[in-house]
Amino acid sequence: MASQAELLWWDKFADVMAKQWNLTPVMNRAIRAEYERDYEQYLFKPGGTLLDVGCGTGVRTHALARRGMQVDGIDFSASQLDLARETARLGEVPDIQFFQRDIVNEEWSGRHRQYDSVFICALLHHLTYEEIDRIFDRVGECVAPGGRVYLYEPLVTTGRSRMRGLAFGAVDFAWRAALTLYHRLVKALGAVDPDIRAAMQQGYTGTSPDEHPIEYDRLQRAWGQRFDLVSMRPFHQYSLAYTMSVMLLSERARGFFERPAGFVYRLEQRLFRLGMWE
């Protein structure tokens, strides 16, 4: 299972991480609308069953439950699952249930042992490569014959062009430097959201202890011959970093900065098409 430090972190900071990760409705639509259409279209099966692995607050699969799928979510964090149940209750989401599981070592059963669709969103990059290998054993056990699996993770790939690597490496460096300056300025001005400021005083940084991007080649080796790869698409890297940084701001200061999120997303898509993501 995840390390003890990872478990403690998620139980301690579940509320504040959910607040930052889920974004405002405006920013969520700006950077996630295309991505949400993609996985919902791919995973939807009328009257089918879906397992959301590492579900967190569970909000990513609410739409599929509303369209008639029977959705089960599993996670290792009791605090996250408490949030998921309350969020689903307040949203009156039908036919969705949540279960606490050691995702690496236990069966992935909820109400079922096998599912028509399996959704794994931003889970694997909190695990070691050895644990990721075992995760794919679990996937093979829980997906029904002919079922579909959708993975969403931060990936790094091996560059195929030295010139492109240098060019986009400079873009990447400049972006990270700008975000670092922004974070320092926000803190210096005292413009941080009160909930997030309180969490920061307890050690919250927005990054869990074991978090790391995944090497695509290692991920491909992990799934081996178990699955057929349908497609691999870049959705957001910089726009997600931008919007999560905006979420650091107090609600009063946030409005002005949330408007450019769509522009950042569209610019990012152009960079991807130029070859930044290989």
Side-chain angles (χ1 to χ4, degrees), residues 127-196:
L127 304 174
T128 67
Y129 285 110
E130 180 184 352
E131 288 170 331
I132 290 172
D133 289 339
R134 288 150 69 188
I135 285 289
F136 280 102
D137 290 334
R138 298 280 174 257
V139 176
E141 293 166 359
C142 83
V143 67
R148 294 184 169 190
V149 180
Y150 193 104
L151 299 177
Y152 168 84
E153 297 290 341
L155 300 177
V156 290
T157 58
T158 303
R160 296 176 179 84
S161 165
R162 182 175 176 79
M163 289 302 295
R164 281 184 176 180
L166 290 172
F168 291 123
V171 171
D172 188 74
F173 176 82
W175 177 258
R176 293 178 188 278
L179 276 185
T180 299
L181 180 62
Y182 165 85
H183 289 164
R184 289 178 178 174
L185 184 62
V186 164
K187 291 177 183 177
L189 293 175
V192 178
D193 176 274
D195 293 336
I196 295 178

Side-chain angles (χ1 to χ4, degrees), residues 12 41 50 57-58 97 111 128 142 204 221 227 250 261 276:
K12 184 176 183 179
Q41 180 180 6
L50 180 142
T57 59
Q97 293 189 21
R111 286 173 285 181
T128 67
C142 83
Y204 177 76
R221 289 201 297 272
F227 307 102
S250 64
M276 186 167 187

Side-chain angles (χ1 to χ4, degrees), residues 11-130:
D11 279 338
K12 184 176 183 179
F13 296 122
D15 287 359
V16 69
M17 186 60 193
K19 182 176 187 176
Q20 192 177 6
W21 171 255
N22 288 332
L23 310 179
T24 64
V26 170
M27 291 193 293
N28 192 66
R29 285 193 299 271
I31 76 162
R32 286 188 174 131
E34 184 179 5
Y35 154 63
E36 288 175 346
R37 283 195 301 270
D38 189 65
Y39 74 72
E40 287 171 11
Q41 180 180 6
Y42 182 70
L43 294 174
F44 179 67
K45 180 177 180 180
T49 55
L50 180 142
L51 184 67
D52 184 358
V53 183
C55 62
T57 59
V59 297
R60 302 269 77 86
T61 52
H62 282 187
L64 289 163
R66 290 193 171 100
R67 292 175 65 185
M69 293 194 76
Q70 189 178 83
V71 176
D72 288 351
I74 59 173
D75 204 285
F76 59 73
S77 168
S79 296
Q80 288 276 86
L81 292 170
D82 287 342
L83 272 175
R85 294 184 184 103
E86 180 65 6
T87 303
R89 184 188 67 80
L90 292 174
E92 298 181 344
V93 183
D95 216 358
I96 186 168
Q97 293 189 21
F98 300 97
F99 305 85
Q100 187 171 10
R101 297 284 184 267
D102 175 345
I103 289 172
V104 175
N105 298 308
E106 292 181 0
E107 267 189 9
W108 283 4
S109 59
R111 286 173 285 181
H112 309 279
R113 296 194 64 177
Q114 287 194 316
Y115 292 82
D116 299 306
S117 301
V118 176
F119 183 48
I120 304 177
C121 174
L123 164 70
L124 302 183
H125 71 289
H126 296 283
L127 304 174
T128 67
Y129 285 110
E130 180 184 352

